Amino acid sequence: MSTLSSPPAIKLAGLLPPEGSWRSCFSYHPFDIELAKAEGIYLHDTQGRRYIDASGGPMAINIGHGDARMKAALNAQFDRYAYAHPSLANRARAELSEALVSLAPASLNSVYLCSGGSEVVESAIKLARQYHALTGSPGKFKVVSCYESYHGMTLATMSLAGNPAYRKTFEPVMSNWPHMAQYSEIHMPEGMDREAWGLQCAQELERVLYFCNPATVAAFIATPHGSGADYGLVPPGSYWREIRRICEQHNVLLIADEVVTGFGRTGKWFAMEHFQVEPDLLLLAKGISSANLPLAAMLVSDKVNQPFLEDRGYFLHGYTHQGHPMACAAGLATLNILREDGLVEHAAAMSPRLFAARDKLMAHPTVADVRGWGLFMALELVESKDRREYFGMEKQAEYLFQALAFENGLALYGTLYGPRRSPAVRRGLPIMISPPLCIQPAQIDDLLQRLDTTLSQWEERLLG
Ligand SMILES: Cc1ncc(COP(=O)(O)O)c(C=O)c1O
C-alpha cells in the first residue's frame, strides 16, 4: 500500500516505511505523522501541525486529552503505590467499583475489572459458562452473537465475531458458535412501523435458539447499536425488549458489549439506558479511562452474582493487572471529570449540532447514510448509492480517505482498510465520527467543514 493509483494533486501523508527506530516494531504500519502532544480535542505532530481527534482514537477518548486532573490523580496514586499485590486490598479498585455501581442500572451491583475490551469479553464468556455450571445447567456453553460483529481479537472473542475477515486466517477458531442477523433497516418493508420491525428482527434469536438447542446456549452478546455494515444503526426499543424477553425465557444471559458506547458517548452514561433494558452482564472499556491507561470492567447482575455470593464457586479467572491501581485511578478520574464537567449531558446537548450536518453530508454521492446518537456518528461510504457497495480494494479508498483527512487536519480511525477488509463486506464502509465529549459547538462546525472538504476531495479523486 505504498503508492496511490493516480498521482496525488496534493501531498498526502504516507504509510511509514519499517525503517530506523520503527524497524523493531512488529507488524507496524501507521501513517508517517508522529505525535508530539495531545490537548483537549487536538493532536499535535512533530512538524507543528494540528489535527482534530475526530474519532477520539478508536472511539475511546471521552474526556479531553491531557487533562490536568487526570495527571494529578495518577501522580497521587503513584505516590501511594503503583501496583497492589493480589492478596492485599486495593482501595482504588474498591472506589472505582463503587462509583461504577452507583452509575449502573439497578440490578448490576458488582464489578470485575480487567485491562481491555477483548479481555473483558473473554471474561464474560467464562463467567456466563461458570454461572450455568453452578446453577445446574452445565450443558450451556455456546454464545450467540451477530454476523459481522466485532468483540475483540483473542481466539474466543473471534469465535463471536461474525466477520470472516477477522477469523479466516485463524480457523478453526475456538468454536463455531451460532450467529444471527443483526438489526438492520436495509430490508425493512416500506411503510412498516420501526417498532414492529424491531420486534420481528429480534425474533430471529428465537429461531436461532430453536435450531441450536437453547439447552446448550449460555448467552447472547451484542453491541447496543449493531456492527459491521449497519454499525451505528440504533434499533427501536422493541428490539432490545424482545431480545431481553427471549433470553429470559430460555435462561440465556444477555451480555451488552458497551466497550464503545459507555460513558456518555451516546448522550447517556450507558447506551442500554435508552432502551430501558438491563443486561445480565454489561461490558465496558475504552472510555472508562478515556484510554489514559488500559482498563475495562464487567458489571455483573445480582442474578449472576448469586451463586458466587452463596459460595457455590469462586470465579476461576484472574490477571496480573486486574484492578491495577494506576488504571483504577485513571478510571476514577475519568468518572469524576465526566461528572464535574457535565460531559454526558453535554454530549446529549451537542448531538443535534453534529447531526444538523446530516443533509449536507447525505448530498455527497458517496454518503449512503449518516446515523448514530449522542456524539457518535457513522457515515456509510459507498462507491455508488444505487448498488450500495464500497470501492474495490485496488482503489485504496480507505487509505486515501484517511490520508486526505489528515491533510485537512482530521485524525480519523481507519477501521477496515487494507488486508482487514472482507470481500463479504458488500455494503458501504462505516467511518466513525466520535470526538472527545468536551468538544464545543464551534469545534463541531470546524470538524464538519473539514469532513465535507475531505469527502469532496475524495470523490474528485475516486469518481473524477
Ligand atoms: C464492541 C467492541 N468490543 C470489544 C472490543 C475489543 O476491545 P479492545 O480493542 O480494547 O481489546 C472492541 C474494540 O474496538 C469493540 O469495538
Side-chain angles (χ1 to χ4, degrees), residues 59 116-119 121 150-152 223 231 257 259-260 285-286 413:
M59 303 166 279
S118 303
E119 213 176 76
V121 175
Y150 179 79
H151 296 286
T223 61
Y231 199 70
D257 179 343
V259 164
V260 168
K286 296 191 189 259
Y413 178 45

Side-chain angles (χ1 to χ4, degrees), residues 12 61 72 88 94 110 115 263 274 298 338-339 359 385 421-422 446:
L12 293 174
I61 312 295
L88 298 176
S110 51
S115 315
F263 303 101
H274 291 277
M298 167 164 63
L338 286 170
R339 261 194 293 238
D359 289 350
K385 288 195 197 188
R421 209 174 131 234
S422 160
D446 186 20

Side-chain angles (χ1 to χ4, degrees), residues 252-271:
V252 166
L253 297 183
L254 174 56
I255 307 175
D257 179 343
E258 291 226 34
V259 164
V260 168
T261 50
F263 303 101
R265 176 55 60 200
T266 72
K268 292 199 185 282
W269 279 93
F270 307 111

Side-chain angles (χ1 to χ4, degrees), residues 1 55 93 115 196 205 210 216 225 267 269 275 280 352 386 417:
M1 235 216 266
S55 311
R93 175 186 189 169
S115 315
L205 179 57
Y210 172 79
T216 63
H225 63 193
W269 279 93
F275 311 115
D280 297 298
D386 294 340
Y417 67 85

Side-chain angles (χ1 to χ4, degrees), residues 356-367:
R358 187 171 189 275
D359 289 350
K360 189 171 178 198
L361 293 169
M362 287 289 290
H364 281 274
T366 57
V367 180

